[in-house]
C-alpha cells in the first residue's frame, strides 16, 4: 500500500541544502514570510514543522497541527517551543546539537575584540571624517578575566578560544562538574556574584529557562566592574534590557555587545547608545553552520520519520 508522503512545513529560512536532501522524500512547504496565523493554518495536515528561534510553537499553535509528529529546531535550545505540551502529545523533538557551536563561539570572540578595541565606534568616527588616532586606544584580552555564564557546548568552545588569547577564564554553571571545568582550564565559581565581581568580560551562554530568565538585572550589573563588558549571544530574555540600558547610560559597566534581545527586533533605545554593539541574532548565521544545520536536521528528520513508520513512497 502506498503510504502518504509526509508534509514538512519550514517556518524560518533554512539553507537550500535542507530542501535538496529531502527532495522526493517529503512534501516541503516554505512558510518564511507568513504571519503566525497563516503559518498555523498550514500546520493543519503537517507531519513535521521546522523552526529556528523566531517562530513560537506554543500550545495553541501545536493544537492547530493534529497530525504533527516531529518538531525540528534548526539550532539549539527549545525555548520557543512548549516542550511539555509537545511531549504530552507524543511529538518527537529534534535540534541540531553542535552544528552552530563554532559560529556562535567565533562571533562571541569577535564581539569581545570589537569591544576591547572599540572597532565599531572608531569605524563610525572615521566615516564621519574624524581621524581619532590619539583618542582611539583600547584594551587587550591577554591577562583579562572572562566570566562565562553557562559552560555547555558553546560556553566551553568560547573558553578554549579565550585561553588561546591568554585570558583567565572563570565560569558559573550549577550543572557542570568541576572535572569538566578543570579539563577546559576554567575555574568554576559557586556563586554568580563572584564571577560578576571578578570579570573584565562577562559572556552569556546559558539556555533560556525559568531559572535563567532575567538572571542579569540591575543588581547583577551593579556588581560588575565599571571597566567591564557584557556580551550576550545566547538569549535576550536572560538580561533585563531596561536595566542594561540604565547600566550603559550610567556607566555602571563600560559597554556591551548583543546579538539577541528580549524582543526581536529590539527597542530603539539600545540603538541610541554609543557604548553598545548590536548584531541582528546572527550567531548561527555562517555559511558553514547553516549547511551543517541543514544536513543534520534533514538526516534526523528522515530517521525520526522512519522510526515512527511515516516514510512513504516518493511523491
Ligand atoms: C539557535 O538557537 O541555535 C539560534 O538562535 C537559532 C537562530 O539562528 O535563529
Amino acid at each position: 500500500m502506498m503510504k502518504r508522503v509526509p508534509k514538512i512545513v519550514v517556518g524560518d529560512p533554512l539553507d537550500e541544502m535542507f530542501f535538496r536532501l529531502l527532495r522526493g522524500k517529503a512534501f516541503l512547504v516554505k512558510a518564511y514570510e507568513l504571519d503566525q496565523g497563516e503559518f498555523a493554518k498550514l500546520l493543519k495536515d503537517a507531519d513535521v514543522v521546522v523552526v529556528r528561534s523566531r517562530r513560537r510553537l506554543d500550545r495553541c499553535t501545536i493544537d492547530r497541527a493534529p497530525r504533527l509528529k516531529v518538531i525540528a529546531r534548526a539550532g539549539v535550545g527549545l525555548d520557543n517551543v512548549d516542550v511539555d505540551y509537545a511531549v504530552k502529545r507524543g511529538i518527537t523533538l529534534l535540534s541540531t546539537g553542535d552544528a552552530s557551536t563554532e559560529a556562535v563561539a567565533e562571533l562571541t570572540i569577535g564581539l569581545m575584540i570589537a569591544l576591547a578595541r572599540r572597532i565599531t565606534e572608531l569605524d563610525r568616527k572615521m566615516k564621519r571624517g574624524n581621524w581619532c588616532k590619539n583618542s582611539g586606544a583600547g584594551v587587550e584580552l591577554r591577562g583579562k578575566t572572562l566570566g562565562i555564564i553557562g559552560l555547555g557546548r558553546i560556553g566551553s568552545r568560547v573558553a578554549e578560544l579565550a585561553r588561546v588569547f591568554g585570558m583567565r577564564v572563570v565560569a558559573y554553571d550549577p550543572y557542570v562538574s568541576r572535572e569538566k571545568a578543570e579539563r577546559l582550564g576554567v575555574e568554576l565559581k559557586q556563586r554568580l556574584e563572584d564571577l560578576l565581581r571578578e570579570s573584565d568580560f562577562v559572556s552569556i551562554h546559558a539556555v533560556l529557562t525559568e531559572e535563567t530568565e532575567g538572571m542579569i538585572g540591575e543588581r547583577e550589573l551593579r556588581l560588575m566592574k565599571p571597566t567591564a563588558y557584557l556580551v550576550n549571544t545566547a538569549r535576550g530574555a536572560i538580561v533585563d534590557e531596561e536595566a542594561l540600558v540604565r547600566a550603559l547610560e550610567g556607566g555602571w559597566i563600560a559597554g556591551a555587545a548583543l546579538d539577541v534581545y528580549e524582543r526581536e527586533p529590539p527597542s530603539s533605545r539600545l540603538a541610541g547608545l554609543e557604548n553598545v554593539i548590536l548584531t541582528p541574532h546572527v550567531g548561527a548565521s555562517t555559511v558553514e553552520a547553516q549547511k551543517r544545520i541543514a544536513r543534520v536536521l534533514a538526516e534526523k528528520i528522515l530517521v525520526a520519520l522512519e522510526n515512527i513508520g511515516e516514510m512513504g513512497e516518493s511523491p
Side-chain angles (χ1 to χ4, degrees), residues 233-254:
T233 54
R235 282 294 178 269
I238 296 174
V239 177
D240 174 346
E241 226 163 77
E242 276 300 310
L244 178 62
V245 168
R246 279 183 275 122
L248 292 165
E249 284 171 346
W252 313 346
I253 64 174

Side-chain angles (χ1 to χ4, degrees), residues 6 10 28-29 34 55 85 88 110-111 126 131 142 144 163 166 176 187 196 201 215 217 228 270 275 311-312:
V10 184
L28 294 153
V29 182
L34 301 183
R55 289 272 181 208
Y85 186 59
K88 213 156 103 195
L111 291 173
M126 281 287 289
W131 177 253
R142 189 173 191 83
K144 301 293 188 307
R163 282 179 43 78
V176 155
E187 185 190 325
L196 295 169
F201 292 82
M215 185 185 206
L270 281 167
N275 52 351
M311 276 318 294

Side-chain angles (χ1 to χ4, degrees), residues 40-181:
K41 273 192 210 155
L42 269 185
L43 300 181
K44 188 169 58 133
D45 53 352
D47 301 277
V48 180
V49 60
V50 183
V51 292
R52 283 179 69 168
S53 53
R54 182 187 59 135
R55 289 272 181 208
R56 305 221 72 75
L57 290 175
D58 51 18
R59 184 185 178 130
C60 186
T61 310
I62 296 173
D63 271 341
R64 306 285 295 274
R67 294 186 53 90
L68 198 64
K69 293 161 199 82
V70 179
I71 291 176
R73 262 285 281 113
V76 286
L78 286 159
D79 48 282
N80 52 334
V81 177
D82 187 335
V83 172
D84 291 342
Y85 186 59
V87 168
K88 213 156 103 195
R89 278 265 315 263
I91 294 169
T92 301
L93 296 165
L94 305 175
S95 62
T96 54
D98 231 354
S100 47
T101 300
E102 200 59 36
V104 182
E106 288 186 13
L107 177 67
T108 304
I109 297 291
L111 291 173
M112 281 166 54
I113 295 176
L115 286 167
R117 300 305 302 269
R118 304 165 49 196
I119 292 174
T120 53
E121 177 201 332
L122 297 178
D123 172 69
R124 276 196 301 275
K125 287 182 173 157
M126 281 287 289
K127 286 175 181 164
R128 289 198 297 257
N130 182 357
W131 177 253
C132 46
K133 182 171 169 64
N134 293 336
S135 58
V139 294
E140 293 172 9
L141 299 189
R142 189 173 191 83
K144 301 293 188 307
T145 297
L146 167 63
I148 293 181
I149 300 174
L151 198 59
R153 280 186 286 249
I154 297 171
S156 299
R157 184 64 185 138
V158 170
E160 282 171 0
L161 294 173
R163 282 179 43 78
V164 173
F165 282 93
M167 299 186 86
R168 167 181 175 245
V169 185
V170 302
Y172 172 75
D173 188 332
Y175 302 101
V176 155
S177 69
R178 194 161 292 284
E179 292 71 39
K180 175 178 173 181

Side-chain angles (χ1 to χ4, degrees), residues 146-309:
L146 167 63
I148 293 181
I149 300 174
L151 198 59
R153 280 186 286 249
I154 297 171
S156 299
R157 184 64 185 138
V158 170
E160 282 171 0
L161 294 173
R163 282 179 43 78
V164 173
F165 282 93
M167 299 186 86
R168 167 181 175 245
V169 185
V170 302
Y172 172 75
D173 188 332
Y175 302 101
V176 155
S177 69
R178 194 161 292 284
E179 292 71 39
K180 175 178 173 181
E182 270 168 20
R183 269 200 311 278
L184 289 163
V186 171
E187 185 190 325
L188 212 50
K189 295 282 177 194
Q190 296 305 313
R191 295 169 0 129
L192 178 61
E193 288 84 345
D194 296 336
L195 176 146
L196 295 169
R197 280 197 189 93
E198 285 180 30
S199 299
D200 300 295
F201 292 82
V202 172
S203 190
I204 302 175
H205 300 288
V207 287
L208 177 62
T209 61
E210 277 174 15
E211 202 182 337
T212 61
E213 186 169 358
M215 185 185 206
I216 303 297
E218 167 159 355
R219 179 177 160 275
E220 290 71 28
L221 291 161
R222 284 192 183 276
L223 288 174
M224 288 174 66
K225 299 179 190 179
T227 51
Y229 296 100
L230 178 72
V231 180
N232 188 5
T233 54
R235 282 294 178 269
I238 296 174
V239 177
D240 174 346
E241 226 163 77
E242 276 300 310
L244 178 62
V245 168
R246 279 183 275 122
L248 292 165
E249 284 171 346
W252 313 346
I253 64 174
L258 307 175
D259 185 48
V260 288
Y261 308 89
E262 279 178 353
R263 292 176 66 86
E264 296 185 356
S267 84
S268 53
R269 275 189 80 190
L270 281 167
L273 299 171
E274 275 294 315
N275 52 351
V276 65
I277 298 175
L278 307 176
T279 51
H281 198 151
V282 289
S285 299
T286 61
V287 173
E288 296 87 344
Q290 287 306 314
K291 288 207 185 308
R292 273 195 298 271
I293 286 171
R295 179 175 293 284
V296 170
L297 214 54
E299 285 165 0
K300 284 192 175 185
I301 288 172
L302 287 177
V303 171
L305 288 175
E306 261 158 32
N307 285 346
I308 47 183

